[in-house]
Each structure stands twice: as C-alpha cells, then as structure tokens.
C-alpha cells in the first residue's frame, strides 16, 4: 500500500534572500501544483512543516521560508545543488476557474503574500486570464518587505496597487494597515463581476473580512487561506482541525461564508 | 499542698510535671500518629474521670491529658493497660517486658515503663497523601518495638516524601520515603510537564531535550519525590515497587545549638533502616558509658563523633546495593553564644566506656 | 461453537495460540500508578493467561496496541526516507466492546479522512483479530450504553474468565476451530452490558449560530482554574488520534536519524503553535471546549454516524483534577438550553 507520508528528495536550484529572515528556495521538480496548495517539507532536526508554494513554473516550484528559532537554521545553510525532501501537493488551492474573466482583488499581509504570489505572477504572466487585478499588499516595516522585484512588476502590471507599511514610511509605500485601503477599492468599477482573495495573519483576515462587508462587497466572493499547525497534511494528525473542517484537506482555502464562522 | 513526689519517677512513667503542685500531664504514645478512632474513647474517659476534661495533641503526636492529680496516677495507670496493650502489643508487636532489649518485666497495671524513646511521629504518608511514597505509620509500628521501651532518648520523625512535612530534618533520626523513578521513553509524549513540575517544586533535575523530544535526568540530584510520576499524563514515569528511605540525623531544636539534620543514608531499603535502628541502643549505651541519662540522640552523635556513630550504627548491617552512606557530616548549628564549644578541657564531655581510666 | 476449558486446557490453548500470534491484553503493573502503591493496568504483549488482568478496566486504552504512543515512521539519511519495518505476525487482542468499537472511530480518521489512508494504521489493523472479553458493566465511570458502544460482533473469540482459572470460550471465527478439538462443548454466548450506572444524553446543537454561542458561553471559564491541561484525558481516550511527527537525529549529523510519530494532545501547550509563534487556543477553557465539541459535535458533523466517544470513562478516571466528562456534557446541555431560550 502506498505510504502517503513518504517524502521524496528534490534538488534545490536557487536560493534567494528576500529579507534577513525569509529565504526563497527554488526546487527542480515535476510536481504539478494548483495555485494556493501547499507541500510538506522535511526540515532536518524538526520534522515536517506545511509550506505553501510561493511560485511555480515548468519544472520548478518555489517556497518562501521564514527563519524561526535556532533549530530551523539548518535549512538556511542549504545552497543550490543540495537536496531536500518534499511530499504533496495538498489542500484545495484557489478556485482559479471562478477567478477567470473577472476582476481579481487580492488583499495580502506579511508572509501571507507567499500563498498568493504564484496566483499574482500567473495573472501577471497571463494577461487576459482575469480582467484585471487590484492588489492591497502590506508589510510590518521596511525590513519585512518580501518579493521586492515582484512588487515592482505587480505595481506596473496591475490596475490598482496599494503597497503599505504598518508603521513606517518608505517611497512607493503608503502608511497604515491594509484595512485602511479597502474603502479605496473602486467597487463600482468591478460591476459585481469580481472575486476577492484575502490572506495574512488571523487578526488581519478577520478585520479585512468585516471591512469588505462594511464597504459593500459580497461575502460569496471572498476567499481566505488559513495557516495552521500540521504534522501530516493528510487529515490524520488533527492539529489543523477547526470544527468539522480539516484545514489540510478541506482548505487551506475556504469561502468566507465558512471561514467567518470558524472559531479555533 | 504538702506532698512528697518524685517527679523523675513520674516523668519516666510518662507523667509530666505542671505549674500546679501535684498536678500532672499524661502523655499517651501514638506510634506514627495513627490509631483507631475507638482509642479516643479511652482518652475521653481518662480526661473526664481524672483530668480536666480536655486533651492536647502533644507536639510529638501524643494524646496529652492535663490536670491529673498525683493521687489518681495509680488509677490512671491501671486504666491505661488496655490502651498500652492494644496500641503497643497488639498493633506494634512490642515486647513490653524488655527495656532496651534487656528482660525487665512489665507490670501492666503500672503504666508506661519508660519515656526515653519518644513517640515516633509520622505524616499520613501514602495511606492517604497524593505525594506520599511510603506507608509511614506501618514503618513507625515496625520501629516501635526496636526503640521502645528504653531509657535511651531518641526522637524519630517519619515523612512520606521529601517535602518532609513531618520535619525529619529536625529530630535525632529522621526518615523520609523516597521513590526511585523509572522512565519509559516509549510512553513519553514530550510534553515536558514533568520537567516544569520538577523545576517549580523540586530539584530541577529534569530537562526536555528539544532535539529528541525526550527527558534527560540528572540522577545525582534527584531527591526521589515522585512528582514526575504524579503529573505525567501517560505513565512515562513510574515509581519502582521497592521502597527506599533517606535517613537524616542530628537535627534538633533547643536552647543551645539548634540545627537542621544532615543526610546519613540515602536510598536505604526498609531492612537497612530497621537494622541500623537496632544498633541505636548499643550506640547510646556506649556513648553514655552504659548509664542512661536524659540526653537527646543528636547530642550523643556529637559526643561520639559522626565516624564512631557510623561505625556502631552500621555494625552487622547489610546495605542494599543502592544505599549510599555519608562519609562525613559537616554540621551547621545556630550558635546563640559565639565560641560556645570553646571551653576548659575539664568541662568537655566524655564518650564511650570510661572504666579504663 | 462454545467450550468450557479447565485452567490447564486454557493454558494449553493459549500456548498454542502464542505459536502463531502476538497476543496483547490488559496487564497489571504493580505500584506503577500515578500515586504510590497504586497499580496501573495497560495493554502489553502477554505470554500467559495469568498475565491477563480481566477484572479491572485498563487505565489506558486498547488503541495503544494499534497506534502506539510512539512509533518509528522512517529511518532517514541524506538521500532517502526508508519506511520502518514491522513484524507481519498476526495479533490477537483481548478487548471489551468499548475498545473494539473505538477502532471504528479511529479508522474513519486514519483510513479515509480527506481521501487519504494511513499505511501505518493499516499495516497494524490488518494483523489484528479480537478476543472479546466479558464485561460485567464496567465501573462507575462507564457509559457505553448511552453511546451505543456496548455491543460488538467484531471478534474471533469471546471469553468469560472464572475465578477458578477456567474459561468459557465462544469460537466465532472458524480459523480458530482447530485449537479447540477434543474440548467439551457447552452453551455459551457472550453477554453484553445493557445498563450502566451512568447515563448521558448528548445534546443536539442545531445550527452554527448555536455552536458559536456555545463556544462563547461562560461555562468554559470554569476550566481555566480547574483544568491543568496535562492531556491525561486524551492519552487515556479510546478514540483520540492526534499525533505529532518528530525527527530524532543520530549523533552530530542533522540529516541522519529517525522520523517518529508521537501521540499528541489538544490539551497540551504547543498543539496549535505555528512557525512564527502564533497559537490558537491558549486557555484551559478553550482547550476543553475544543475537546468536548470534537467529541460530541464536530466529529459527528463530519462523519455523521457516531460521536467520537465510546463511553469508556477513562478520561474521567485519569483526570487528576476530577473533571468528569459526563458532568461537563451535562453542563453543555444546560448551556445549549440557555442559548436556545435566549438567556445568553
């Protein structure tokens, strides 16, 4: 019988430093992934952690990993040519068929930009897949800004872009939380033909949801991606369960009408 | 009141002098501080018939009846027969005809024959307490016949666990129940609760190794409290079935040199504790030149010196393999008067047989 | 077919079975309890019938045989993760209906949930056959009848122990017929408990609004001061399945070692902590609420046909703080009533 938790080795082809704490690893692999899915990555000394795919292309996948604590440091010593172990992909990913041909609104905060980056890059690379993209993207401060070259590209390619920093000023960035800019989204322009992606820390997602509803957006069109602790990724270990849902197999993407009721 | 009373004789009979001439307090032994509640009827009868109608818990867990008049002592002693026979003979198996092992013969109508070996006190131990590692009063009952009746003084306190609620550290011979722990890593979920508990309430000997998810232990400093087993959700820590004891000697209160006792034995088996105690009469006799005097056990150790104490107390004792013995003891006393011990040689106490001189 | 076996006959049959099977049963560990001089009964591999503790309900559940507290999943090197091996010998487990029925619940998670089946669970489960143990109603924590887990037909043999060492056996699985040749047949059917001292009614939570109001109900605050979040209840639970994965490194090389699965508990700190330090249920009350609702609402909401509890009562028995799951369930029912009346 197939061992569903069997990790397989893949070669790292590139390591990029996004910030002092966040590195992006590109792997050579033929694993096919839906935008917004995640894989289980084996980290020496730790075990396995779920990591969302932060970009993908023909024969490669990228993951952006944050350095937390001493023990994860081993992974940050990895260089191109080294091997690491993966299994997956798991979860449902974003409902891309629903997004097609519509105005896509993306509201992302901090490391929450990772699980939506492949979708944004896909939209940027495939003009016409969605009508246009409105992006509100926030980081804590200058040191936390991820995917700098992508941000520049998105700012040029997308119809509306707000890049914000919570408490710091920087050229090209507005100041304040992403929730502050929801009222600036041109609801009329979307003519009821839109879908919204929200991803970020739990508190941010909660308030973004409330602010969107307050500003007249429809709850049926909102999608949120959850990050929870997982040991297996395949509905066994129990850590990610909320109510009758398992974030690993039923999510990580949930429609807002389910997401808003999920109390951990 | 004009009475001629030998208070020393009464004291040996367990009647204590009071402030009022001719009025005494009876101390009734309760080995391990634990007796059948029906004994309270006897206490009640004595108190209401000859005493002041009340009783006090003696500081050594005796039933103390106040207000007994000198002329009533014979009647009280006669009545005490059933209490002494029940508690000492039936429950503890004491041979009342022996005094310090010598056949003397006990008159059951004459009350307690000696006061020297004081009542053995104990906490409730594992009979009730969630922390207890041993059955304290059962041990007390086994010890009772070894030290009593005897004119040699010894105060023994038994505590069921190293929390030492019963102050084994403040008596001549303190006994503490310690648990040798076994760790079963296959049952350990790595929650670290034992390590946090050990840090908070014991000697901080456990650590959760984050890399293995298992517990590491500094066995040397483990006091054997058993708290790890008490808190473990998965029985990854268990006590060994065998019971072990720590023996603390030489603790005392007092006007001169109060001090906390020091560890004499660690991880001693029950057999070892009992056979060590069997040497107590010999040791006391030796120190005092075979003439009992009113002197507490800790002072006897001082006079003989720890090494002599150790030599006599371990005579013929077969130590269990786990048992550790203090090589030396460094006392730490409160000296109310500095240079208390520095005095003319002529005032020094002697120890051991003096007839050679 | 049923038989009456003398002690000698029973020992002989047991010895024969041992040649083919690994046999597990509740076993008494003297003085290994939480408190001094208390015993503990847990499942162990046994070598003779006298090793079987048939009177006292085991403190720990039968699930430990099939999904042990700790097991090796893989041995890894820099190049590969090699699956751990396990014996292929068949297993016989002495078990009562509650523990056997608990496996149905475990199986829904290990085998099938989310479209995945766990091979470590399957490889153990496939080796197992049950010897049903007579149960005379359990103890005062049992409520299997209320949970409809008091009966089972999932067994190969059924046994009733007698004080004199003799044994009644019913052979349900023909594979075992040949062990009982030349032994006197009798009439014997295993009896199932049909009444417990303790009865519970699982409340119905009729909609999501009620559920979220129940989550916010002050009833859970009680546990912030009472529950110490030790997880003893979930370790003792017949049905809980949660685990974590831990890589153990051999020596200095961080890339050579063993990947283990270790039982985990929703009650213990760190259960929800994600990289970056965010955790989701911090108070004892929240953790208790999560456990209770999983047992008596969420599981059934997902898998429909049962709650995630077999009424074995081990959680109550093992709780060092005397928190009773049935009393807590009653409090939940009362809170739901209040919610439905609009009082909270």
């Amino acid at each position: 019988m197939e061992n569903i938790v069997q990790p397989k080795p893949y070669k790292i082809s590139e390591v990029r430093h996004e910030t002092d704490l966040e590195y992006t690893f590109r792997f050579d692999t033929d694993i096919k992934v839906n935008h917004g899915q995640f894989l289980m990555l084996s980290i020496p000394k730790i075990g396995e952690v779920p990591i969302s795919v932060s970009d993908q292309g023909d024969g490669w996948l990228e993951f952006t990993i944050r350095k937390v604590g001493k023990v994860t440091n081993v992974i940050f010593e990895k260089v191109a040519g080294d091997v690491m172990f993966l299994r997956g992909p798991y979860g449902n990913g974003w409902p891309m068929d629903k997004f097609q041909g519509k105005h896509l609104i993306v509201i992302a905060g901090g490391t929450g930009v990772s699980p939506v980056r492949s979708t944004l890059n896909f939209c940027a690379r495939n003009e016409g897949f969605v009508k246009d993209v409105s992006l509100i993207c926030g980081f804590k401060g200058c040191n936390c800004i991820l995917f700098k070259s992508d941000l520049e590209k998105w700012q040029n390619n997308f119809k509306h872009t707000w890049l914000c920093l919570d408490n710091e000023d920087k050229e090209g960035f507005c100041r304040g939380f992403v929730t502050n800019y929801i009222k600036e989204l041109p609801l009329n322009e979307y003519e009821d033909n839109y879908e919204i992606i929200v991803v970020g820390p739990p508190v941010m997602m909660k308030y973004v949801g409330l602010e969107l509803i307050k500003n007249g957006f429809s709850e049926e069109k909102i999608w949120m991606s959850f990050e929870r602790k997982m040991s297996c990724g395949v509905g066994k270990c129990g850590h990610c369960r909320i109510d009758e849902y398992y974030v690993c197999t039923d999510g990580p993407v949930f429609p807002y009408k389910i997401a808003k009721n999920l109390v951990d | 009141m004009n009475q001629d009373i030998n208070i020393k004789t009464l004291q040996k009979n367990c009647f204590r002098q009071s402030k009022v001439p001719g009025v005494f307090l009876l101390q009734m032994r309760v080995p391990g501080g634990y007796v059948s509640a029906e004994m309270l009827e006897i206490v009640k009868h004595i108190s209401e018939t000859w005493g002041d109608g009340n009783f006090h818990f003696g500081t050594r867990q005796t039933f103390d009846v106040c207000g007994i008049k000198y002329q009533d002592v014979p009647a009280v002693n006669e009545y005490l027969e059933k209490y002494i026979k029940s508690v000492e003979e039936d429950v503890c198996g004491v041979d009342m005809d022996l005094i310090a092992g010598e056949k003397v013969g006990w008159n059951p109508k004459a009350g307690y024959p000696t006061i020297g070996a004081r009542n053995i006190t104990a906490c409730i131990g594992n009979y009730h307490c969630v922390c207890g590692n041993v059955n304290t009063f059962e041990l007390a009952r086994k010890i009772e016949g070894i030290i009593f009746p005897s004119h040699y003084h010894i105060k023994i306190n038994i505590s069921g666990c190293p929390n030492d609620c019963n102050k084994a550290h403040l008596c001549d011979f303190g006994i503490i129940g310690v648990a040798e722990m076994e760790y079963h890593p296959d049952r350990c979920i790595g929650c670290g609760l034992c390590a946090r508990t050990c840090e908070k309430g014991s000697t901080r000997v456990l650590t959760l190794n984050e890399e293995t998810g298992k517990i590491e232990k500094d066995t040397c400093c483990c006091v054997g409290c058993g708290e790890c087993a008490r808190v473990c959700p998965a029985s990854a820590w268990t006590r060994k079935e065998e019971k072990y004891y720590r023996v603390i000697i030489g603790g005392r209160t007092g006007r001169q040199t109060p001090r906390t006792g020091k560890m004499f034995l660690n991880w001693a088996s029950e057999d070892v504790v009992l056979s060590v105690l069997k040497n107590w009469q010999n040791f006391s006799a030796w120190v005092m030149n075979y003439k009992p005097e009113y002197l507490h056990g800790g002072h006897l150790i001082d006079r003989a010196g720890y090494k002599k104490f150790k030599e006599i107390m371990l005579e013929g004792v077969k130590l269990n393999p786990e048992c550790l013995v203090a090589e030396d003891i460094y006392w730490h006393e409160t000296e109310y008067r500095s240079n208390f011990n520095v005095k003319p040689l002529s005032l020094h106490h002697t120890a051991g047989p003096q007839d050679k001189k | 077919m049923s038989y009456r076996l003398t002690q000698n006959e029973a020992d002989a049959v047991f010895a024969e079975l041992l040649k083919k099977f690994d046999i597990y049963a509740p076993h008494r560990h003297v003085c290994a309890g939480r408190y001094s001089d208390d015993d503990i009964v847990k499942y162990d591999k046994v070598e003779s019938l006298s090793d079987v503790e048939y009177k006292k309900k085991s403190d720990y559940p039968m699930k430990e045989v099939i999904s042990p507290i700790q097991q090796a999943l893989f041995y890894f090197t820099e190049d590969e993760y090699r699956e751990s091996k396990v014996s292929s010998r068949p297993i016989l487990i002495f078990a009562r209906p509650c523990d056997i029925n608990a496996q149905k619940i475990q199986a829904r998670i290990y085998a099938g949930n989310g479209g995945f089946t766990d091979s470590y669970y399957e490889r153990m489960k496939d080796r197992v056959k049950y010897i049903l143990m007579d149960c005379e109603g359990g103890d005062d924590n049992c409520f299997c009848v209320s949970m409809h887990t008091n009966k089972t037909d999932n067994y190969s043999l059924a046994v009733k122990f007698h004080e004199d060492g003799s044994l009644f056996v019913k052979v349900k699985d023909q594979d075992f017929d040949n062990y009982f040749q030349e032994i006197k047949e009798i009439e014997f059917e295993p009896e199932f408990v049909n009444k417990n001292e303790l009865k519970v009614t699982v409340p119905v939570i009729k909609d999501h609004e009620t559920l979220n109001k129940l989550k916010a109900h002050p009833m859970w605050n009680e546990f912030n001061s009472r529950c110490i979040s030790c997880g003893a209840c979930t370790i003792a639970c017949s049905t809980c399945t949660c685990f974590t994965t831990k890589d153990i490194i051999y020596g200095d090389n961080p890339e050579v070692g063993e990947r283990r699965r270790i039982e985990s508990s929703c009650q213990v700190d760190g259960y929800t902590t994600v990289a970056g330090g965010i955790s989701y249920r911090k108070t004892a009350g929240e953790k208790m609420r999560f456990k209770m609702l999983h047992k008596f609402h969420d599981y059934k909401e997902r898998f429909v046909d049962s709650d995630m509890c077999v009424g074995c009562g081990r959680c109550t028995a093992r709780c060092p703080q005397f928190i009773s799951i049935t009393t807590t369930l009653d409090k939940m029912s009362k809170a739901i009533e209040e919610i439905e009346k609009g009082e909270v």
Side-chain angles (χ1 to χ4, degrees), chain A residues 31-39 53 56 61 89-96 115 118-119:
Chain A
I31 299 174
K32 294 282 172 272
V33 181
N34 297 335
H35 298 286
Q37 282 191 300
F38 66 93
L39 282 87
V53 175
Q56 56 176 307
L61 290 177
Y90 300 117
N92 52 2
W94 302 110
M96 296 301 284
S118 73
T119 311

Side-chain angles (χ1 to χ4, degrees), chain B residues 102-121:
Chain B
E102 306 272 330
K103 188 94 176 170
V104 174
W106 175 55
N107 174 6
K109 308 282 180 205
Y112 287 107
T114 69
I115 196 168
R118 316 308 277 277
N119 188 47
I120 302 166
T121 68

Side-chain angles (χ1 to χ4, degrees), chain C residues 316-330:
Chain C
T316 304
R318 282 291 296 163
C319 177
Q321 302 295 316
F322 300 135
I323 296 169
S324 152
I325 195 167
T326 51
T327 308
T328 309
L329 193 58
D330 291 343

Side-chain angles (χ1 to χ4, degrees), chain A residues 58-86:
Chain A
D58 199 18
W60 59 269
L61 290 177
E62 278 187 7
F63 304 91
T64 302
I65 301 170
R66 190 178 163 83
K67 217 174 189 171
V68 262
K70 262 183 284 181
V71 267
T72 50
N73 285 356
V74 179
I75 193 172
F76 293 91
E77 289 159 14
K78 297 278 176 192
V79 294
D82 287 350
V83 157
M84 286 193 68
F85 290 83
L86 298 169

Side-chain angles (χ1 to χ4, degrees), chain A residues 6 42 236 239 243 250, chain C residues 81 116 215 243 259 271 302:
Chain A
Q6 174 75 54
S42 287
K236 309 286 166 259
H239 293 272
D243 297 349
D250 303 334
Chain C
Y81 276 71
F116 295 98
K215 285 182 181 177
F243 61 80
R259 174 162 293 173
Y271 178 80
R302 185 175 182 88

